[in-house]
Amino acid sequence: MASIEAYTISVSDENIERLAQKLKYTSFPDELDEAGWSYGAPLQDVKRLAGYWKEKYDWRKQETQMNKLPNYRTIIHVEGFEPLHIHFVHQRSQAENAIPLLFSHGWPGNFLEVEKLLPLLNGGGETSPAFHIVAPSLPNFGFSDGVKRRGFGLCQYAETFHKLMQKLGYTDYVTQGGDWGCMITRTMGFLYPQHCKASHINMVRGGKPGWTSHPILALQHATTSYSARDLDGFARTKWFVEEGSGYRFEQETKPQTLGYALADSPVGLLAWIYEKLHDWTDDYPWSDDEILTWVSIYWFSTAGPAASLRIYYEAVNAKGMHRIRTQQWVPHVKLGLAHFPKEISVVPKTWGRTMGPVVFESENASGGHFAAHEKPECIARDLQQMFGKGGGAYGVVEGKNGYGKISSRL
């Protein structure tokens, strides 16, 4: 693992002071009476969070906690682009034959989404499968470098992560992801099926099965009435399309214009992200520290908060894999689906099965978009069942079935 360095997150005092000054001189908008969440993030909430951010929030304390994770950094060369320093968390299990797993976050998430999974998937070895976990900050996000040239689309994100796994010595591996992490890991399976052996995703966006492309699924769909879960899912999806997806059109079409606001105003960034943390989760009890740490990672990010928006533009404009293609059939790579009722789109199970050769599926009673953070026990359970003995992806990585004695040293 040459040229892989331990990495310490360390934001400069100057940047922390600059944030304090920005917060000090914030101008807030007015708000209509009884607006609630209908118009976006409520003024009362944003003022409270901004005040806490300015007066009491301790970035250094959070930074110390983040640095307890096994953080690393290395350079990845993506074809046609400048070399990129990629930050990643890398937890190696002490279990013999642990399964290499690439975990990918999305927007407005970050690498900390993997944190709660680490203790749940590290052990086992003899009774349940264990995993070596690699969780990068996406290029343009967190503490990875930003990209300086246009055209860095899903294929390039996939190339970055595939090359990272190869560099770590994981020739073959499996993946887990939601949001952009779902689309990136699906792209990895499409481009590198000889190495990406299976994927588990928690954002299921398949389409209605067609009689030509999926005749068996189409027959099942045609002869089965929609369940209460399906009807609730349609309502949730309708809400997102009609009331919750305006951000996507702006980020997908004119990310630079929005970027000026987010790069200059920490409270603007806070409101932009906080709305999603509220709307996309299933009554998750966010603490102020959690919210502000997620927002601060964007504010203090290596490339700046505006850079993270560009994935929306590039995923529909760059050559190669369009984001819509990731919702369609990807062959050869075994697929696991986790359904959560407060995901931003919820489709019938027959629709999800049009995405690939499904070998595992779970239906969860609660949970939303940030499943690894909201419901880590559900994601860990899925991975252990999918890749465990008797699971549909057991032994998919040759010589690494997740079982074996616990070694006293790595």
Side-chain angles (χ1 to χ4, degrees), residues 100 165-166 169-174 194-197 396-398 400:
M165 294 301 278
Q166 301 300 291
Y170 301 135
T171 302
D172 297 335
Y173 53 84
V174 302
Q194 68 274 34
H195 299 285
C196 181
K197 299 297 186 178
V396 71
V397 177
E398 186 176 354
K400 302 291 181 182

Side-chain angles (χ1 to χ4, degrees), residues 143 301 408:
F143 304 106
S301 62
S408 60

